Amino acid sequence: ASSTALIALALYALQPQVWPQAFQEYAKAVTALSGSSKDFGCSPVGVLAHALQQNGVAYIAPCTVFYVVYATALFLILLSLSNLYREQRISFSSWMPVMLLGVAMLSPRLMVYDLAWVSLPMVLLAWRALRNPKGQYTALLAGAAILLGMNIYAAAHNERLIAMLLQLGIFGKSVLELREKAGVETSSSAESEAELATFEPVGD
């Protein structure tokens, strides 16, 4: 992952040198898109930039600071969860969808269509969050009602805000569940080790 990030940064840094004219046109297109359509994406920093621009406030400096703080916190959360996975305190099936969603949320300009590739992990995590041990129909109905309400609001107001709230809500709930699961599995392992330590085999 680190090598991939370094290669991506290197490629981005080399573009102005290798294709100077094409890169300038790309930068102009992004600036025009942000200025005309005010489309900064549905990430937390994108929603903040949109709100600041709507109110005539300069957004570059505050959004840069906000993104650094937000991305650092998100990265540290992912790093702590990856440590739990390497310590085998959480399973691969529990960790992987949370990791995919967290990595997508690191993008400063996350567009709604960029969420397409993490839509299945998000649905899986939402299902786990809504799952009712007494029956799956309750979770299905609750999820359908929530999504219906969000879609109605998005159609009439701001779909970026809904997309951001879905990301943060599902990710936050999933992180809490993983930490709880790690604690349960750790305590269970400790109890098993204690039982083995106190076990006295019967002699022949």
Side-chain angles (χ1 to χ4, degrees):
S2 300
S3 61
T4 302
L6 290 175
I7 291 173
L9 290 173
L11 289 174
Y12 188 81
L14 288 174
Q15 288 180 41
Q17 309 300 325
V18 181
W19 304 287
Q21 184 176 356
F23 186 82
Q24 288 179 4
E25 294 298 328
Y26 160 74
K28 291 179 182 178
V30 172
T31 302
L33 181 64
S34 301
S36 59
S37 63
K38 302 177 181 178
D39 195 356
F40 297 93
C42 58
S43 68
V45 67
V47 173
L48 175 62
H50 179 77
L52 292 177
Q53 190 191 56
Q54 286 286 87
N55 291 277
V57 180
Y59 59 86
I60 295 180
C63 286
T64 301
V65 174
F66 175 74
Y67 175 73
V68 170
V69 174
Y70 159 78
T72 300
L74 180 57
F75 178 79
L76 292 177
I77 291 174
L78 291 174
L79 185 62
S80 66
L81 294 177
S82 69
N83 290 333
L84 295 179
Y85 170 69
R86 284 195 295 269
E87 294 169 2
Q88 298 183 350
R89 295 168 62 183
I90 54 177
S91 64
F92 177 82
S93 60
S94 298
W95 158 235
M96 185 52 61
V98 181
M99 185 272 290
L100 290 175
L101 177 57
V103 169
M105 291 170 60
L106 283 172
S107 173
R109 191 171 179 267
L110 183 65
M111 309 303 289
V112 173
Y113 52 77
D114 290 328
L115 288 176
W117 69 274
V118 288
S119 58
L120 288 179
M122 287 179 67
V123 170
L124 176 61
L125 293 174
W127 176 262
R128 290 176 178 175
L130 293 170
R131 186 171 48 195
N132 189 334
K134 296 182 180 180
Q136 297 179 343
Y137 288 107
T138 303
L140 182 62
L141 293 174
I146 292 173
L147 289 177
L148 177 61
M150 285 186 166
N151 277 280
I152 293 174
Y153 180 88
H157 297 85
N158 190 346
E159 72 279 2
R160 302 182 192 90
L161 179 61
I162 294 298
M164 184 197 71
L165 293 176
L166 276 175
Q167 297 168 54
L168 294 178
I170 293 175
F171 182 77
K173 175 65 174 174
S174 302
V175 168
L176 294 176
E177 287 184 348
L178 282 185
R179 292 191 178 279
E180 181 180 356
K181 181 178 292 187
V184 170
E185 292 181 1
T186 302
S187 61
S188 300
S189 300
E191 290 175 2
S192 300
E193 292 176 2
E195 289 177 359
L196 288 175
T198 55
F199 176 73
E200 295 181 0
V202 179
D204 294 333

